[in-house]
Amino acid sequence: SGAGLGGNPMAATAHKGKADRVCQLVIKPGNAVDGWEDLSRLLGDCVKISFECRLGAYLSEVRNLALLRRTPGWSFDHFFLVKGSLAHMFEQAHVYEEAVREYYELEVIYTDTLEAGAGDSGAETSGNFGDQDPADEEAFILHPSRKNLRSLCKRNEAGNSGSLKEFDVRQYLFAKRALLMLKEVWAAEEDGAGEQAIRQKRHELARLGQQFISSFTRKLQRHSFRAEFVDKWVFSACLQLASVLTMNGEGEEADDAVGRAGTGDRVLSGILADLYIYCHSKLLKLGATLSLDVKRSRRRQKVSKSMIFASPKAPKGSGGAEESDPMAILDDGACQSFEEELILMETEAAVAAAREAAVMAESAIHDAGEDGEDLRDQPRGSMEPGSSHPEATSLSCLESREGYNLYVLSLAREAAEACRRCGRERQAVQLEANNSDILIQQGEVAQARRLLEQQCRLYFEDGWLQLLADLALPQLVECQLKLGDRPGLLSSLSMWLTMKGELEGAAAQKVDEEAIQSALEDLGGEGERSTASAVDLHGAVRVSRSESGGSGLKVLAQKNDVAVLAFTVDSFFPFPVDVKGAAVMLSKHKGGEEASIAPTEWVYFSRASDTDHLRAFSERLRTGSAPDAFAEAAGRGEGSQIAPGGNVMFAAVLCSEVGKYQPTELTATAYGCQFRCGLGEDSGLLAVSEEEPRVTMAPRKGEIFQLDDQMIAIDVEARGEAFACEIGAFSRGLAFKEAWAIREGDAGPPERLADAGARGGVDSPLYRLGDLRGKATLVLRVEGARKAAPGRRDGALLDCELSYTSGLRRTLARSLALSAVAPFEASVVFHAAAEDRTLVELRVASALPWGVVARSCELTAAGKAVSGLFPSEDLLPARLAPGATLTLLYELQSRECGKLEVELGFDHEKGHGAEPGGAMADWAAAMEASGIWGERQTFRGEVAVP
């Protein structure tokens, strides 16, 4: 340009009288070109000038037409062409916000035209909403090129018949706005805009789509469109909108936009969930109308109606997690604010009429590019059958049952995934399980069972019992029967029995209990299992603590005790249930925190109505060995059946550790399935303390007398109760003949104990002491102690063993050291009577604790008998009380008598010489009862010579 062009006549002619529009490109050797920068600068200036010029022409024409819209003959078709061309110009310049604004204004003007009935075209349109053409059943809210409205407007201007229909215009205008907003989102993603800004733009698009679908649906209904037509349109519209919300600028799924990458947009996920749920509901309704659904379709529609998506207003928190009203209509407030803008526009200067032709010519240039197929105007990828979401642009799924079922499952899956991403897990479970009948038809019974189990658990926890009984539970039982799932059948039956009492009418007869019982008994172990965990019997078997036996809810025990807990078991099963391996789980608490779980070792069930049997078994547990009692019952085939109605359960545990334990649940196996029943908070407490001596045993006197036949006493005390006691004693050289018991507080005669059999030899039997409460004295009659060495403990070591039952069979063994003591002590005193004669005073003192009768007494010196001063017949028999001394006089010929020995013949005094109520009264009573007093005994001993 300028001087750079030299005297080139062509260049001078080209730019004569105009701005510089010519530049020179110089090609150098090596194909290098100079002048590109100038060309780029000049082209930019020219484009800017051209854009501004044409923009000004469009704006002037729009203002002029807006001012004249109230005048007769005003055509909305012409205004539609001009306004659309202006918006398209902004779109090509990538000024998307301005383009959206133009289409929004165009829709407001269109609404105002319809309401006012102004203009010929407007009057016709207001009375012709649209035809119910089958081709229009599929929405085109994201496909503005489906109908070329610009060509129709031009034909109307040329005087051809026909007019724009509101049905088409509304969809066209929304499609243009939606695609422009989508392009704005894609542009922001390409420019690396902030994540929050991109999310906000997607939210605006999603909510705008919800508003449009809701308001347009109401328009269709107000214009009496067929219900099937409306449902198809809503179905396709929701699917198109949901599809485009998951697309990015490359036509691929926008994983980060919907939260599949882990840092998801819960708000957008909530909106997507609402769209898919609403679409799914409409598809179910269409399937029922067209007889494509199976017999449960109508009931499934009832469930779907409770899940129709939330209001298009911005959800709080989790993004659509609060379900409320269906989609709202367009915001009237926005329209009113735009009307104020139109009033301001009318005050501007009118556009010159001469500009109109140029504007219309320019509009024609853009027709092909605006309404032609352009992938940039469409949600790329939404029509691809390989997409993970359902195909978004076709109603072909309604042509066959197979296609319909595929769509129903796919939509439910998409809705469930979106619900989970926005935190609506419960709704996701309902959606998936609601189509289990289709899965059953397709042979995917295991998957249907899994989904139905989740749904039944949800309904049961939420108390939707009527819906559970009417639909979900019968379907679940059907799947479990087909799969031979015994744990699943047991769980379903338990759930049914738990809620059956709250159902009314026909709902209480939905489940065939006898069929399930038969299946549980007949199915083998090869049936498919739904879960490896224990089956929860819910409330079908209710277990609570019982205070039977007077033990109360808190049971005190010591370490190594067997604690027996009583429970009430109420079974709602209509038939007896045989159980194996039953145990009550005990939770050990320490410092307020749960430390460990331990099971009880023995469990026994009995009917609550069988009071005699319960009383007998309870007494057996109290007085006998608990393990033996349970083992005996199991051997008889008792205690392993939970009968219908009330039952009593005894659970016993060996307390091996100190602590506090709380029963938590009952576990057992029935029909080859492990199950569990939880216990309430009032399950009681088992408190285990350190072990203390249960029984004690000690000799009355730590002595044994050198007699052939005598009694020794052992004091026994039970702290609490000891049952079935048996006692035995053993000592080397001693023979035990009989035993007697004197119980504390018993005023009757001593009790002779029965022989329980030999222990350690024929001379050491066991004696049955029986039940022991408090203190008792055991008196044993022994023989053979005469040869015991006096004062030596090893010769009189007494081993005692007491066997008793206190929950378990226990044995207390003690070694009691006894001193061998002479029963009498003899001494002499010499008195000189003459030179050849000496008087001997013999003194025999009794060391026995009971009285004796001396029958004879002989003193020998050097093996020869010493004559008594008086005849023994005149002095004996003589009674010796405990501690008394017998004195006799003898005459010796010389004091050099050598060794003196005494032999005393005696028997035990019949009255024993014991004071009534004294320390030896019980001992003496046992001696008298034994008859030992009538047997003659002999004492031989050396006499101490002074």
Side-chain angles (χ1 to χ4, degrees):
S1 64
L5 297 176
N8 190 328
M10 292 182 61
T13 301
H15 76 275
K16 183 178 180 180
K18 298 181 180 180
D20 291 349
R21 294 188 180 181
V22 179
C23 68
Q24 182 178 14
L25 298 178
V26 180
I27 301 177
K28 294 182 177 181
N31 294 328
V33 180
D34 288 339
W36 287 118
E37 294 79 4
D38 293 337
L39 177 60
S40 176
R41 177 179 56 79
L42 290 176
L43 286 175
D45 292 342
C46 291
V47 169
K48 181 178 181 181
I49 294 171
S50 176
F51 179 81
E52 292 176 350
C53 178
R54 290 172 180 169
L55 177 62
Y58 279 133
L59 291 175
S60 298
E61 177 64 12
V62 167
R63 292 191 187 97
N64 181 51
L65 292 175
L67 290 172
L68 300 175
R69 76 181 190 277
R70 302 294 185 184
T71 62
W74 184 84
S75 172
F76 175 77
D77 295 348
H78 180 62
F79 184 78
F80 179 87
L81 291 172
V82 177
K83 193 75 168 175
S85 298
L86 176 59
H88 184 65
M89 187 174 180
F90 281 124
E91 180 182 356
Q92 289 191 326
H94 291 190
V95 189
Y96 298 122
E97 290 185 4
E98 290 297 326
V100 170
R101 183 175 181 274
E102 294 300 322
Y103 281 115
Y104 186 71
E105 293 175 356
L106 182 57
E107 183 165 9
V108 173
I109 295 293
Y110 181 66
T111 302
D112 180 70
T113 302
L114 292 179
E115 292 177 353
D120 296 339
S121 177
E124 293 178 4
T125 307
S126 63
N128 188 6
F129 180 81
D131 301 327
Q132 301 188 46
D133 190 340
D136 293 334
E137 291 176 340
E138 184 174 337
F140 62 95
I141 62 172
L142 296 174
H143 305 283
S145 60
R146 273 263 304 270
K147 291 191 177 182
N148 195 338
L149 298 188
R150 298 183 61 84
S151 299
L152 183 59
C153 289
K154 293 175 182 178
R155 288 198 300 271
N156 294 343
E157 287 189 323
N160 297 329
S161 60
S163 63
L164 296 178
K165 292 181 173 59
E166 184 178 356
F167 180 86
D168 300 328
V169 175
R170 295 288 187 187
Q171 294 189 78
Y172 176 87
L173 293 178
F174 172 78
K176 296 300 293 185
R177 290 169 60 193
L179 291 176
L180 287 170
M181 295 175 70
L182 186 61
K183 286 184 177 182
E184 190 176 1
V185 173
W186 292 344
E189 291 176 347
E190 293 176 357
D191 295 341
E195 182 179 352
Q196 185 62 32
I198 295 175
R199 285 184 175 182
Q200 186 62 33
K201 292 181 183 296
R202 286 188 179 272
H203 297 170
E204 293 175 1
L205 174 58
R207 290 169 186 143
L208 178 64
Q210 283 183 305
Q211 291 174 350
F212 175 76
I213 294 174
S214 180
S215 62
F216 198 74
T217 300
R218 289 185 172 87
K219 284 183 177 293
L220 295 176
Q221 294 170 345
R222 283 198 299 269
H223 287 82
S224 302
F225 273 58
R226 301 189 319 273
E228 181 181 340
F229 184 98
V230 176
D231 291 339
K232 289 183 178 179
W233 186 91
V234 172
F235 165 72
S236 57
C238 290
L239 207 52
Q240 289 176 28
L241 180 60
S243 174
V244 77
L245 290 177
T246 60
M247 293 296 144
N248 58 21
E250 302 299 326
E252 300 172 350
E253 290 190 5
D255 291 349
D256 56 340
V258 295
R260 302 191 188 205
T263 58
D265 186 346
R266 293 172 64 89
V267 176
L268 184 60
S269 296
I271 296 174
L272 283 171
D274 293 338
L275 288 170
Y276 280 127
I277 292 171
Y278 197 46
C279 184
H280 182 259
S281 174
K282 291 299 181 183
L283 184 57
L284 291 179
K285 185 177 178 182
L286 287 169
T289 303
L290 301 175
S291 300
L292 294 173
D293 209 343
V294 294
K295 60 183 179 180
R296 297 186 179 91
S297 60
R298 296 191 183 275
R299 285 185 290 173
R300 291 196 288 112
Q301 289 176 54
K302 294 179 183 178
V303 179
S304 297
K305 287 181 180 179
S306 66
M307 299 183 290
I308 293 179
F309 56 87
S311 168
K313 296 181 181 179
K316 297 180 181 179
S318 61
E322 299 177 1
E323 288 90 26
S324 57
D325 297 333
M327 305 170 77
I329 60 174
L330 290 172
D331 189 352
D332 294 333
C335 299
Q336 294 172 1
S337 64
F338 184 68
E339 288 294 331
E340 297 176 358
E341 295 183 16
L342 292 179
I343 296 174
L344 295 176
M345 291 171 59
E346 292 176 355
T347 63
E348 298 180 6
V351 179
R355 295 276 188 162
E356 182 175 351
V359 172
M360 297 305 298
E362 186 67 28
S363 175
I365 296 176
H366 295 290
D367 282 350
E370 182 179 354
D371 286 338
E373 289 291 339
D374 187 348
L375 289 179
R376 291 174 299 177
D377 294 338
Q378 309 299 329
R380 287 167 286 177
S382 64
M383 298 175 63
E384 299 177 5
S387 177
S388 66
H389 51 74
E391 192 176 333
T393 58
S394 175
L395 294 174
S396 59
C397 64
L398 298 174
E399 297 176 359
S400 65
R401 177 165 294 178
E402 290 74 14
Y404 168 80
N405 289 341
L406 177 64
Y407 251 72
V408 169
L409 294 176
S410 183
L411 277 174
R413 183 168 53 251
E414 288 295 325
E417 290 178 1
C419 285
R420 289 191 174 96
R421 290 194 297 269
C422 66
R424 290 150 58 175
E425 176 65 28
R426 306 176 80 79
Q427 198 172 22
V429 170
Q430 295 181 57
L431 284 163
E432 289 180 325
N434 197 29
N435 304 293
S436 55
D437 51 347
I438 296 178
L439 294 173
I440 296 174
Q441 268 194 333
Q442 295 178 349
E444 301 178 21
V445 183
Q447 183 180 355
R449 176 191 60 186
R450 179 181 62 82
L451 298 177
L452 284 168
E453 284 176 344
Q454 297 176 358
Q455 186 183 43
C456 289
R457 184 164 52 250
L458 171 65
Y459 286 174
F460 186 78
E461 292 173 354
D462 288 349
W464 298 357
L465 304 184
Q466 199 73 22
L467 191 59
L468 175 60
D470 183 58
L471 175 62
L473 192 57
Q475 274 191 292
L476 176 58
V477 171
E478 178 184 345
C479 293
Q480 292 164 343
L481 287 173
K482 289 184 177 181
L483 295 172
D485 180 9
R486 287 198 296 181
L489 285 171
L490 183 59
S491 176
S492 297
L493 180 59
S494 302
M495 187 181 296
W496 166 255
L497 295 174
T498 302
M499 69 181 189
K500 182 180 178 182
E502 302 183 31
L503 301 175
E504 298 179 356
Q509 307 296 328
K510 288 289 184 178
V511 175
D512 189 346
E513 301 166 8
E514 294 183 358
I516 296 180
Q517 178 192 7
S518 178
L520 288 172
E521 294 175 348
D522 297 341
L523 285 174
E526 63 277 0
E528 186 174 340
R529 296 177 60 90
S530 59
T531 176
S533 59
V535 176
D536 187 356
L537 296 189
H538 306 289
V541 175
R542 298 176 183 174
V543 183
S544 59
R545 275 302 307 278
S546 170
E547 297 188 34
S548 62
S551 60
L553 296 183
K554 184 175 181 179
V555 176
L556 302 179
Q558 297 181 15
K559 187 177 180 181
N560 296 322
D561 272 349
V562 174
V564 179
L565 308 177
F567 297 86
T568 298
V569 180
D570 295 318
S571 174
F572 291 89
F573 282 83
F575 48 85
V577 179
D578 294 323
V579 299
K580 297 180 181 179
V584 174
M585 307 306 293
L586 301 174
S587 172
K588 180 182 179 183
H589 292 264
K590 184 178 181 180
E593 298 182 359
E594 186 173 300
S596 61
I597 298 291
T600 58
E601 299 178 57
W602 306 279
V603 170
Y604 179 88
F605 296 96
S606 178
R607 289 179 180 269
S609 58
D610 194 353
T611 55
D612 293 339
H613 182 75
L614 278 174
R615 190 180 299 110
F617 188 76
S618 179
E619 184 66 17
R620 176 73 173 88
L621 289 177
R622 190 181 70 86
T623 62
S625 169
D628 292 346
F630 285 105
E632 292 168 4
R636 296 191 301 267
E638 298 177 359
S640 60
Q641 186 180 85
I642 302 178
N647 298 266
V648 173
M649 175 180 69
F650 295 100
V653 60
L654 178 61
C655 303
S656 57
E657 294 184 10
V658 175
K660 294 182 178 180
Y661 299 83
Q662 182 177 9
T664 57
E665 65 179 13
L666 167 66
T667 64
T669 300
Y671 302 107
C673 315
Q674 187 177 8
F675 69 83
R676 62 184 183 88
C677 304
L679 278 71
E681 296 181 357
D682 58 345
S683 57
L685 187 69
L686 170 62
V688 181
S689 59
E690 288 290 351
E691 185 176 13
E692 297 180 358
R694 294 174 175 82
V695 295
T696 58
M697 185 167 51
R700 172 68 61 85
K701 293 177 66 68
E703 300 172 336
I704 187 171
F705 298 98
Q706 295 172 305
L707 296 174
D708 288 326
D709 194 1
Q710 64 180 303
M711 294 286 193
I712 59 175
I714 300 175
D715 290 330
V716 181
E717 181 179 0
R719 298 178 180 178
E721 292 181 311
F723 301 97
C725 299
E726 294 181 349
I727 191 166
F730 172 78
S731 183
R732 188 173 53 194
L734 298 181
F736 296 87
K737 297 301 182 181
E738 57 186 9
W740 300 81
I742 300 96
R743 303 178 189 273
E744 185 180 40
D746 189 356
E751 173 190 356
R752 182 171 182 171
L753 303 184
D755 192 340
R759 169 201 163 275
V762 295
D763 292 333
S764 56
L766 288 174
Y767 299 100
R768 293 191 178 94
L769 182 58
D771 300 340
L772 179 62
R773 299 171 183 84
K775 298 179 180 179
T777 299
L778 179 69
V779 183
L780 299 172
R781 182 177 179 179
V782 298
E783 295 180 352
R786 185 172 61 85
K787 297 180 181 180
R792 291 184 58 190
R793 293 179 176 272
D794 58 348
L797 190 63
L798 183 64
D799 294 326
C800 293
E801 181 179 287
L802 176 62
S803 298
Y804 63 97
T805 298
S806 178
L808 290 174
R809 193 65 182 166
R810 306 173 190 275
T811 300
L812 173 66
R814 291 286 185 271
S815 292
L816 307 178
L818 300 177
S819 298
V821 178
F824 301 95
E825 182 179 354
S827 63
V828 295
V829 177
F830 293 99
H831 298 280
E835 292 183 2
D836 58 348
R837 201 170 47 152
T838 301
L839 294 178
V840 179
E841 181 181 349
L842 175 63
R843 299 175 180 176
V844 180
S846 174
L848 297 175
W850 58 82
V852 297
V853 177
R855 300 292 181 180
S856 64
C857 184
E858 181 179 347
L859 181 68
T860 59
K864 296 181 180 180
V866 179
S867 301
L869 188 60
F870 303 99
S872 60
E873 292 82 1
D874 297 338
L875 300 177
L876 299 177
R879 176 181 175 273
L880 287 179
T885 302
L886 174 65
T887 304
L888 297 174
L889 292 177
Y890 292 88
E891 184 180 18
L892 287 176
Q893 298 300 322
S894 172
R895 292 189 59 177
E896 299 299 328
C897 57
K899 182 174 67 171
L900 295 176
E901 293 181 349
V902 63
E903 180 178 309
L904 179 66
F906 67 95
D907 55 36
H908 301 293
E909 185 182 8
K910 187 173 183 180
H912 310 298
E915 298 180 3
M920 298 303 298
D922 51 358
W923 198 344
M927 293 183 65
E928 182 169 346
S930 68
I932 195 174
W933 58 270
E935 298 181 6
R936 180 68 59 89
Q937 298 197 57
T938 301
F939 167 72
R940 296 181 180 86
E942 292 184 359
V943 180
V945 178

